[in-house]
Each structure stands twice: as C-alpha cells, then as structure tokens.
C-alpha cells in the first residue's frame, strides 16, 4: 500500500514537471514553429494583422493555477496530518503545540519565499493564497473548538495557536 502510494506520487510528480517544462518552454520560445507544435497552447486570430497569435495566459490558467491550488492545499495539510498522527500516538499536548507553531512558521516562510521570488519576475500567488486560506480556517475553527480539541489542549495553547495563525495569515495576505 505504501509502495503503491509512493509510486503514484512519483508518477504524478513526473507528469506535473513534464507539463511545467512544456509550458515554460513554449513561453520562452521565440520561433513560431516551436509555438505551433507545443500542445496546450491556444491559437487565436489576430484581426489587426490578419495572422495567428499565441495566447500567453493559457499556460497559467490551464496548468499553473489549478496545480498551484492543489499544491497549496496539500502543503497546508501536511502539518495537519502530522499533528493527527502524533495525536493518535498519544504525544504530549505541549509537543503538539510546538509542532503546530513550527509548522505555521515554516508554511509562512514558504509563502513569503514564493511571494518574494524573482525567478523570471513571476512570484507565485496561488500556493500562499491556499496556505492563508488554511490559516484563516484554522483560526475560525479555534474560536469554537470541538470537544475533542478542548479535551486535548488547554485554553492558553488554543489561544496561542489562534494568535499565531492570525498573524501568519495577515502577513501572507
């Protein structure tokens, strides 16, 4: 089961990288012949010149945006799943709080790195948006926590996690 899951993730990663390289290559190509044979590109009639032109936004809206949303959500859920696994093994709540705070710090650093990167002048907004959405959802969940969370954590820990996620969401947005 674990081997099958790892194999599926590797295959999905190979497909995503291949699609990214195709789109990145077509955006950077200067030859009209290269642009005509690259799949995933729309060709529109340019009425002013009477010829064909390549739509540069197709690569973003058809590939980068949806995968950015999924990637952001998966990245945000990894610390949550780590906390769930630790909780199922009856780890001390203080350690769980530290895992949560460190996870928020790492996710915030990742988001800031993606927002401030200068690779080809293209910062990524979708992954930080999903991480910020996760932080806001966590904040609202901790306003009225379920009984299981109240039984596990003290009120001061819940207040700490709520404050840290609020500050991180505001920093990202």
């Amino acid at each position: 089961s674990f081997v099958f899951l790892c194999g599926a993730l590797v295959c999905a990663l190979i497909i995503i990288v291949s699609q990214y390289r195709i789109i990145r290559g077509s955006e950077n190509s200067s030859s009209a012949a290269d642009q005509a044979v690259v799949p995933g590109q729309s060709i529109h009639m340019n009425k002013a010149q009477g010829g064909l032109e390549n739509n540069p936004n197709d690569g973003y809206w058809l590939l980068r945006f949806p995968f950015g949303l999924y990637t952001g959500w998966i990245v945000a859920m990894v610390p949550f799943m780590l906390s769930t696994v630790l909780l199922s093994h009856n780890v001390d709540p203080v350690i769980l709080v530290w895992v949560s705070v460190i996870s928020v710090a790492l996710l915030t650093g990742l988001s800031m790195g993606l927002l401030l990167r200068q690779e080809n002048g293209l910062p990524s907004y979708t992954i930080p948006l999903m991480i910020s959405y996760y932080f806001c959802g966590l904040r609202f969940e901790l306003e009225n926590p379920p009984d299981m969370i109240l039984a596990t954590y003290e009120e001061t820990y819940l207040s700490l996690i709520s404050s840290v996620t609020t500050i991180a969401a505001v920093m990202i947005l």
Side-chain angles (χ1 to χ4, degrees):
S1 167
F2 177 73
V3 173
F4 176 75
L5 179 64
C6 289
L9 289 175
V10 168
C11 289
L13 182 63
I14 290 171
I15 291 170
I16 291 169
V17 168
S18 300
Q19 289 177 341
Y20 178 76
R21 286 183 181 165
I22 289 171
I23 295 299
R24 174 65 73 185
S26 67
E27 288 175 353
N28 294 335
S29 66
S30 58
S31 160
D34 288 343
Q35 292 176 355
V37 297
V38 174
Q41 294 291 319
S42 292
I43 305 292
H44 298 284
M45 291 300 292
N46 185 352
K47 295 180 182 178
Q49 297 175 353
L52 298 175
E53 76 177 16
N54 188 6
N55 187 356
N57 290 327
D58 284 347
Y60 178 78
W61 290 109
L62 295 177
L63 182 65
R64 290 187 191 162
F65 183 74
F67 279 109
L69 291 177
Y70 296 137
T71 303
W73 190 247
I74 289 170
V75 166
M77 292 308 291
V78 167
F80 175 75
M81 290 302 177
L82 176 66
S83 296
T84 304
V85 168
L86 292 176
L87 183 64
S88 69
H89 290 298
N90 298 324
V91 174
D92 187 35
V94 175
I95 294 173
L96 291 173
V97 168
W98 277 107
V99 167
S100 299
V101 170
I102 291 171
S103 298
V104 169
L106 290 174
L107 289 174
T108 304
L110 172 71
S111 297
M112 289 304 193
L114 289 172
L115 287 172
L116 300 175
R117 77 177 177 171
Q118 296 299 317
E119 177 186 315
N120 296 332
L122 297 173
S124 175
Y125 298 110
T126 53
I127 295 173
L129 177 70
M130 291 307 296
I131 291 173
S132 178
Y133 176 73
Y134 169 74
F135 286 158
C136 290
L138 188 59
R139 165 71 169 97
F140 288 119
E141 177 73 21
L142 291 178
E143 280 185 8
N144 295 316
D147 293 335
M148 184 182 81
I149 292 177
L150 286 173
T152 306
Y153 297 102
E154 295 177 13
E155 188 66 34
T156 55
Y157 293 151
L158 294 177
S159 175
L160 172 70
I161 295 171
S162 178
S163 300
V164 167
T165 55
T166 302
I167 291 169
V170 169
M171 283 176 54
I172 294 171
L173 292 177

